Amino acid sequence: MTEAPHGPGMDHLTQALRSAASGTGTFVTVRGPMGAGKSALLRALAVQADGAGAVVLRASGAYAERDWDLGVADQLRPVPAGFVVIVVDDLQWADDSSVRWLADVAERALVVAAVRDGAPGSGITPPGTVVCLPSAGWSQRRVVECLRRQPGPVRGVAQAMAVLGDQAEIGLITALTGLDDATAGTAVRTLRALGLVTAQQDLLDPVVQDAVLATMTALEHDAGHAAAAVLLHDRGCPAGHVAEHLVATRSALPEWAVEVLRTAADTALRRGQQPAALTYLRRAVAEPGPRRAAALVELAVAECTTDGSLALHHISYALQLLETPRERAAAVLRLPVTAAGTTLPLVRDVFGDVEQEVRRLGDHDLALRIEARMRYAGHADLSELIDATTRLGELENTGAAQRELLTVLSHSAALVARTSAKDVAALADRLLDHVPPSAGQADEMAQLLVKTLCAADSPLRAATWTLAAEDQASLRVSRALVAVHLGEVAEARLLAKTALADERAPVGPDAVLALAVVALKAQDEELSGLLLSSLPAEADDPCTAAVVDVLRGADAVARGDVRDGLRFLTDAGHQLDRLGWRNVVLFPWRTTAAGLHRQLENTCAARILAEEDHERAVEWGAPAGVGRTLRVLGGLTEGVGGVNLLHAAEDVLSASADRLELARTHLALGLRLREQYEQTAARHLRRCHDIAAECGDQRLVRQAGTHLRGEVRRAALTRTERKVVALAVTGRSNQDIAHALSVSIRAVEKHLTNSYRKLGVLRRSELAGALNHPF
């Protein structure tokens, strides 16, 4: 007996049909599990045979008639002479006499019979060729129909395997079903023959597993998983395996179960599997008992990176269950400083009483550490930020608790930017000395200090720390922030996108804010888009809402819609002002908006915004902020005064760590001086080109390089080209521009092509950035 290759088998049946037409009979058996397509193949053959002029006879076996002698044969007799094709479905249920009769008929006719593997009687071996069909997938209806015909042990083993999942090995199956090894083994082999069990792993096909579970009652489901959890626990299986069954049952859990769930959650968190950890801990807190408070605290810690408000609610419940002030203080301190986010009223409700308790105990250090968490929760409240600046002058760097509070206060001072950037950076530098970079877990205090140093235009010290620290996913955001403040945009983009794509390290609100700063300073539209897609369209958190609007503004400008971009940016800027976030190094929204106003030829509004930002930059004193605002003001000022402002920006930025801001200033000087001082302009453009190349900003490299390849003077846009580009960046089509300027569409296209070449851009969406690098 030869076996045809696995597959649909139609080619083989067509060949057999041709042989039958020439007078050669044969017997072909089509085998496969339920749902493999045997009946469909037989129907297709019957249609083909009828079209070829054959007499087609059909019959089918029936489970209830398998003992009826010649039951299938009687559906077919008498068989006429000539070109005959006999099609028989479910041959496994045919009586022996009918099978022998069909074998005889196959000497002069084509007999094609289907046999369902795994069904009673499927061991039948008719003569001739066998076509084997693989499983074509299962539906719940087919699984139910198939299992209904099986004996009780087979159904019981299928349910046990569905419950056990990946742990379905014969010892556990027998223990769960109460069957002996032989009976259970026979049932597994039957399920395998039916195609319900994968041959490689002896596990239920996933679709079949779901279908079997769906057929079980809620009571069967709960009892099965509860029993499986006990079995796995008693055999010393890993906590994670046991926990999977504990969370699948709503039955009352045994005394040991909560501890197993907490252990499984801890392991999952260390592996970066936060969703699984949250599932285990939520099941643990659903159980009453003495360990519920500890489970609530652990649940809050696990939630804090993605949902600070929910974490605070759970820690609040835990505080009500804990008995002593020190236990309550310890629970609060399990939460990271940044867990509270911007939910100041809720933090005061949850932490306030605990702080008072530890003060009454006289534990000054505990009180300072709780105060640090409350202060951080106020980092989106202007009055709190100002008060934090005052509080900063009252503390000394004399202990771990004071350093923790000082770290938070220095971060607040950097956001509000009303003191000296130099002093805040010096304090952050000293605080960072107490955080060893070799620590196995990136210290959240160090990450706050990195942000503070970047905001003060002092990222070199932060760069030293992050480079010395171990390579951890949680540090990629900090490294990206440092890189972009050093002007290393290529490195910053790579780190930011890697951090955003890493599912093992969820990106929380603070990280999203830092990545938004990276995207905007690096002018990376792709990163802005990725961040936008990861953020809610309507954010309740005012900080996130501001970030969303800034990113929307950048996206609109990249698409050439300057007016829409300006609207989003202005809304975001006003929200940042309400928060008290005045730092022009981190949030230069006014100078950015000034660039957009300039493109729309609204010079007066542009100057007002640029001057406001310059005042704030001078008050904070960070060179990157002062230099940027001077560059923008220089671009808005005609004549010698503008050139002097650009030279002042160059001088200030020479002392800044942000080399990309210096490159942009050299570009501005090169373009401004090209009409009168060609050699000086070329020197500035070469300097821009070299710095931009070192930083990895290819867009800026192209712009400077385009002007350097020819005479500097000839790189200037003509008056008409400037008009065309100004209309293009507002989102006007070529046809609209042609109509507005009373020229042909072909002329508009020519002016745009020349402008692309002169500005060093490749497409329309880059025009806005090339004109003034607005973001």
Side-chain angles (χ1 to χ4, degrees):
M1 180 176 69
T2 60
E3 182 170 311
H6 289 256
M10 197 65 221
D11 289 345
H12 187 85
L13 294 184
T14 298
Q15 183 60 43
L17 183 62
R18 292 196 187 103
S19 298
S22 63
T24 303
T26 187
F27 199 125
V28 180
T29 305
V30 179
R31 305 190 68 103
M34 183 177 181
K38 302 181 298 299
S39 299
L41 190 62
L42 265 58
R43 287 193 297 271
L45 173 68
V47 170
Q48 189 176 3
D50 186 65
V55 175
V56 180
L57 305 177
R58 295 179 177 84
S60 178
Y63 183 74
E65 299 176 359
R66 59 192 184 281
D67 295 328
W68 193 321
D69 195 43
L70 293 174
V72 170
D74 284 342
Q75 299 177 46
L76 302 167
R77 294 188 295 185
V79 177
F83 183 16
V84 177
V85 175
I86 297 175
V87 177
V88 182
D89 205 356
D90 287 327
L91 185 68
Q92 72 276 359
W93 292 326
D95 59 279
D96 292 342
S97 299
S98 291
V99 175
R100 287 194 295 270
W101 179 84
L102 286 169
D104 292 338
V105 172
E107 293 180 1
R108 55 188 175 87
L110 172 60
V111 177
V112 180
V115 174
R116 184 188 303 178
D117 287 335
S122 61
I124 184 174
T125 56
T129 303
V130 178
V131 174
C132 295
L133 301 183
S135 172
W138 289 90
S139 67
Q140 182 175 330
R141 181 187 62 78
R142 286 177 172 174
V143 172
V144 171
E145 180 184 339
C146 178
L147 289 178
R148 185 183 294 126
R149 296 193 180 96
Q150 305 307 315
V154 175
R155 294 195 300 273
V157 166
Q159 290 188 351
M161 294 181 77
V163 168
L164 288 167
D166 292 345
Q167 286 82 51
E169 53 93 8
I170 193 65
L172 292 172
I173 292 171
T174 56
L176 203 58
T177 58
L179 300 172
D180 59 75
D181 289 350
T183 304
T186 299
V188 170
R189 288 191 292 275
T190 299
L191 292 170
R192 188 186 304 119
L194 286 167
L196 297 173
V197 172
T198 61
Q200 294 82 7
Q201 297 176 300
D202 262 359
L203 300 174
L204 285 185
D205 180 281
V207 176
V208 174
Q209 182 181 11
D210 292 342
V212 172
L213 290 172
T215 65
M216 297 170 64
T217 66
L219 185 61
E220 289 173 333
H221 190 278
D222 267 18
H225 282 291
V230 172
L231 281 172
L232 293 172
H233 178 260
D234 290 347
R235 297 190 179 203
C237 292
H241 292 170
V242 182
E244 290 293 335
H245 296 286
L246 293 174
V247 299
T249 178
R250 289 294 169 262
S251 302
L253 299 183
E255 188 175 344
W256 48 262
V258 171
E259 200 60 38
V260 169
L261 288 165
R262 291 172 61 196
T263 301
D266 180 65
T267 301
L269 284 174
R270 284 188 278 107
R271 291 176 177 172
Q273 300 166 343
Q274 189 194 34
L278 292 174
T279 300
Y280 300 151
L281 290 169
R282 286 167 185 158
R283 182 64 181 96
V285 302
E287 288 297 307
R291 295 181 176 83
R292 186 164 185 261
L296 277 165
V297 173
E298 289 163 5
L299 176 59
V301 172
E303 289 169 332
C304 64
T305 57
T306 53
D307 194 334
S309 295
L310 190 58
L312 287 172
H313 281 297
H314 283 132
I315 206 74
S316 177
Y317 298 150
L319 295 178
Q320 297 172 35
L321 298 175
L322 295 168
E323 297 180 356
T324 70
R326 290 195 179 278
E327 286 177 333
R328 289 189 282 273
V332 167
L333 296 179
R334 284 286 305 277
L335 291 180
V337 168
T338 57
T342 58
T343 52
L344 182 58
L346 181 57
V347 170
R348 283 174 172 163
D349 288 344
V350 175
F351 294 175
D353 290 342
V354 178
E355 184 191 27
Q356 293 301 316
E357 284 182 334
V358 295
R359 289 193 185 280
R360 285 195 293 270
L361 287 174
D363 196 321
H364 186 58
D365 284 354
L366 278 181
L368 289 175
R369 295 189 65 199
I370 295 173
E371 182 187 351
R373 284 150 178 79
M374 296 178 70
R375 291 282 183 182
Y376 187 84
H379 77 280
D381 183 294
L382 178 57
S383 61
E384 287 290 325
L385 288 173
I386 295 172
D387 187 62
T389 303
T390 303
R391 178 72 166 128
L392 187 62
E394 300 171 359
L395 297 172
E396 296 180 0
N397 184 2
T398 57
Q402 289 218 21
R403 286 194 292 272
E404 191 169 313
L405 179 54
L406 281 169
T407 295
V408 174
L409 294 174
S410 64
H411 178 254
S412 297
L415 288 175
V416 76
R418 289 181 180 270
T419 54
S420 164
K422 184 177 180 180
D423 292 344
V424 172
L427 173 60
D429 199 343
R430 292 195 299 273
L431 292 169
L432 197 57
D433 285 336
H434 294 276
V435 183
S438 59
Q441 182 68 25
D443 191 283
E444 65 162 338
M445 293 295 98
Q447 295 181 55
L448 273 183
L449 292 169
V450 166
K451 294 177 187 176
T452 300
L453 288 165
C454 289
D457 192 21
S458 298
L460 285 171
R461 175 70 174 92
T464 302
W465 190 93
T466 57
L467 287 173
E470 293 182 8
D471 187 17
Q472 302 168 52
S474 57
L475 272 180
R476 289 193 189 119
V477 173
S478 294
R479 285 177 173 153
L481 192 65
V482 168
V484 84
H485 280 90
L486 289 170
E488 298 170 355
V489 293
E491 179 73 6
R493 288 166 176 159
L494 177 61
L495 287 166
K497 290 172 185 175
T498 303
L500 198 58
D502 192 344
E503 297 179 355
R504 298 171 302 165
V507 177
D510 281 350
V512 167
L513 176 61
L515 292 175
V517 171
V518 173
L520 298 171
K521 285 183 69 66
Q523 300 178 18
D524 190 320
E525 293 89 353
E526 181 185 0
L527 179 57
S528 294
L530 291 172
L531 284 167
L532 268 178
S533 65
S534 69
L535 291 169
E538 300 295 332
D540 295 330
D541 174 16
C543 303
T544 303
V547 170
V548 169
D549 277 346
V550 172
L551 293 171
R552 283 175 175 166
D555 181 62
V557 171
R559 289 185 283 102
D561 191 343
V562 177
R563 293 186 185 279
D564 212 27
L566 181 59
R567 178 176 62 82
F568 279 123
L569 183 63
T570 303
D571 288 346
H574 291 157
Q575 179 62 46
L576 290 169
D577 282 350
R578 286 191 291 272
L579 296 174
W581 292 7
R582 304 169 68 253
N583 192 301
V584 299
V585 177
L586 291 177
F587 316 111
W589 76 268
R590 280 181 171 79
T591 47
T592 302
L596 299 180
H597 274 298
R598 184 187 182 191
Q599 290 180 36
L600 296 172
E601 300 184 351
N602 192 349
T603 307
C604 181
R607 178 172 291 281
I608 290 172
L609 289 172
E611 289 175 347
E612 288 177 354
D613 234 17
H614 182 62
E615 290 177 5
R616 295 187 176 196
V618 171
E619 183 180 9
W620 178 230
V626 176
R628 177 187 170 95
T629 57
L630 285 171
R631 172 172 63 80
V632 174
L633 281 170
L636 294 168
T637 304
E638 297 294 334
V640 176
V643 174
N644 289 339
L645 286 169
L646 291 174
H647 279 304
E650 179 190 4
D651 291 341
V652 171
L653 289 168
S654 296
S656 170
D658 192 342
R659 291 171 54 74
L660 199 61
E661 276 297 339
L662 179 61
R664 289 169 179 164
T665 301
H666 281 299
L667 177 65
L669 276 165
L671 297 180
R672 177 65 71 89
L673 298 173
R674 61 190 171 183
E675 298 294 338
Q676 294 177 297
Y677 305 100
E678 185 174 337
Q679 290 185 346
T680 303
R683 178 176 60 80
H684 284 294
L685 290 171
R686 278 194 292 271
R687 190 72 182 118
C688 169
H689 181 278
D690 293 345
I691 296 173
E694 291 173 5
C695 294
D697 190 329
Q698 294 305 313
R699 183 183 300 173
L700 198 54
V701 167
R702 286 200 304 272
Q703 284 185 271
T706 298
H707 295 297
L708 285 168
R709 278 193 289 272
E711 292 182 25
V712 176
R713 278 192 306 248
R714 287 195 320 198
L717 298 182
T718 66
R719 178 177 298 178
T720 304
E721 286 168 353
R722 285 199 300 271
K723 289 180 179 179
V724 169
V725 170
L727 290 170
V729 298
T730 63
R732 306 280 284 275
S733 68
N734 287 0
Q735 185 173 359
D736 290 340
I737 297 171
H739 179 73
L741 299 180
S742 300
V743 298
S744 68
I745 294 178
R746 185 170 183 178
V748 171
E749 293 172 348
K750 179 181 178 181
H751 289 312
L752 282 174
T753 300
N754 289 338
S755 299
Y756 292 167
R757 176 180 54 80
K758 292 179 179 180
L759 293 172
V761 301
L762 299 177
R763 56 187 66 87
R764 196 186 197 97
S765 62
E766 295 180 358
L767 283 173
L771 284 174
N772 198 38
H773 286 281
F775 281 89

